Amino acid sequence: MTRRFRRFACIDWSGARGERQKGIAVAVSEGPGRTPKLIDRTWSRQDVLDWLLDHARRGSDLLVGIDVSTAFPFLDTGAYFPGWAASPADARSLWRLVDAICAGDPHLETGSFVDHVEASRHFRRHGGRQGDLFGSGNGRYRLVERICRDDRHAPATSCFNLVGAAQVGKSSLTGMRLLHRLDGRVPVWPIDPLPDKGPAIVEIYTTIAARTAGLSGGSKMRDADRLRAGLAGYGIHRVPDLARYDDHSTDAILTAAWLAEAAARADLWHPSALSSHIAAVEGWTFGIP
């Protein structure tokens, strides 16, 4: 039996440098068919951490989707960082390593990890710098990312790639610091079991929400009409009045609406390819059956 949540939130995350991030947006839905509300503020990553910990303390009946990769590829080579003796054994150990190496980086930034003598060998970075262990083509993929691409759910990219508009590596690294500092107080499915009560986090991919809504011509929504078209795909016909319709705010709103519906689907909580080992080392993107 799939747990039924009362409220749903989407966090559009950012890996950019600096404290306050225009690229972070948080929207909350009160349930399927309800217009999600954007929390209107300029967030820092620490603010989001504090917000999540507050929900943990209150035991909120809240499912939170955050658009980060909760782990790096592991299954393809049997390690996150083959050739590095300190390569962690599972996702939680990976979060701990990233946070430890970046302990001196402010605002949950991760420059120290990206530039680390061993870690940097696995990344494609700006300035034409590509580590000798980055891999061929566009880099290594987790199992769920390969399924996402092969089944055309969305064009998932390698989180070892830190270059280009579609890259998710920087936000995933800062997300790992966030997840480590939650210290299990908000469980992260499927790395953690889904709790019987209180908040929980799932990894999400906002493009899946846009495609499921039936948006064509790309997933970006930069005006009220485009957001209206997306929300209509979830039976929602009232569009929130925003000061500006930027990608981050609209992604958070639409994905919160999607999550409120998708969370009721039992097949999304029991993906056919997901095992306990895969969950522990690579996690999963909610929405890929």
Side-chain angles (χ1 to χ4, degrees), residues 183-247:
D183 194 27
R185 287 169 285 186
V186 183
V188 182
W189 178 91
I191 294 165
D192 301 311
L194 196 63
D196 294 330
K197 60 182 180 179
I201 288 173
V202 291
E203 169 189 327
I204 50 91
Y205 189 178
T206 58
T207 300
I208 293 174
R211 290 191 172 189
T212 303
L215 284 179
S216 58
S219 61
K220 297 305 180 184
M221 298 163 286
R222 297 187 175 95
D223 56 51
D225 288 342
R226 183 77 169 160
L227 178 58
R228 182 178 293 107
L231 289 173
Y234 299 110
I236 299 170
H237 301 288
R238 186 179 68 81
V239 178
D241 185 18
L242 304 181
R244 57 190 179 95
Y245 291 86
D246 61 89
D247 297 349

Side-chain angles (χ1 to χ4, degrees), residues 11 17 122 129 140 196 233-234 240:
I11 301 172
R17 295 181 63 182
H122 300 267
R129 296 172 295 168
R140 297 165 56 199
D196 294 330
Y234 299 110

Side-chain angles (χ1 to χ4, degrees), residues 103-158:
D105 293 6
H107 317 309
L108 298 183
E109 293 174 11
T110 53
S112 293
F113 193 82
V114 170
D115 293 333
H116 186 276
V117 64
E118 290 290 346
S120 63
R121 299 179 66 191
H122 300 267
F123 291 107
R124 174 185 285 162
R125 297 181 287 166
H126 286 89
R129 296 172 295 168
Q130 181 167 306
D132 61 307
L133 297 177
F134 175 76
S136 61
N138 292 317
R140 297 165 56 199
Y141 292 97
R142 295 183 297 161
L143 174 61
V144 71
E145 291 159 354
R146 294 200 300 272
I147 293 173
C148 191
R149 293 175 65 88
D150 293 346
D151 294 349
R152 299 188 178 183
H153 295 286
T157 59
S158 171

Side-chain angles (χ1 to χ4, degrees), residues 28 36 43 73 89-90 110 122 143 150 176 186 211 268 272 286:
V28 178
W43 295 84
D90 56 33
T110 53
H122 300 267
L143 174 61
D150 293 346
M176 290 175 195
V186 183
R211 290 191 172 189
L268 298 184
S272 58
F286 186 75

Side-chain angles (χ1 to χ4, degrees), residues 12 56 77 152 161 171 176 179 224 232 236:
D12 199 57
T77 63
R152 299 188 178 183
N161 175 41
S171 59
M176 290 175 195
L179 297 177
I236 299 170

Side-chain angles (χ1 to χ4, degrees), residues 81-102:
F81 308 104
W84 185 10
S87 185
D90 56 33
R92 284 200 167 276
S93 300
L94 173 63
W95 305 345
R96 182 167 58 249
L97 177 68
V98 173
D99 195 54
I101 289 176
C102 300

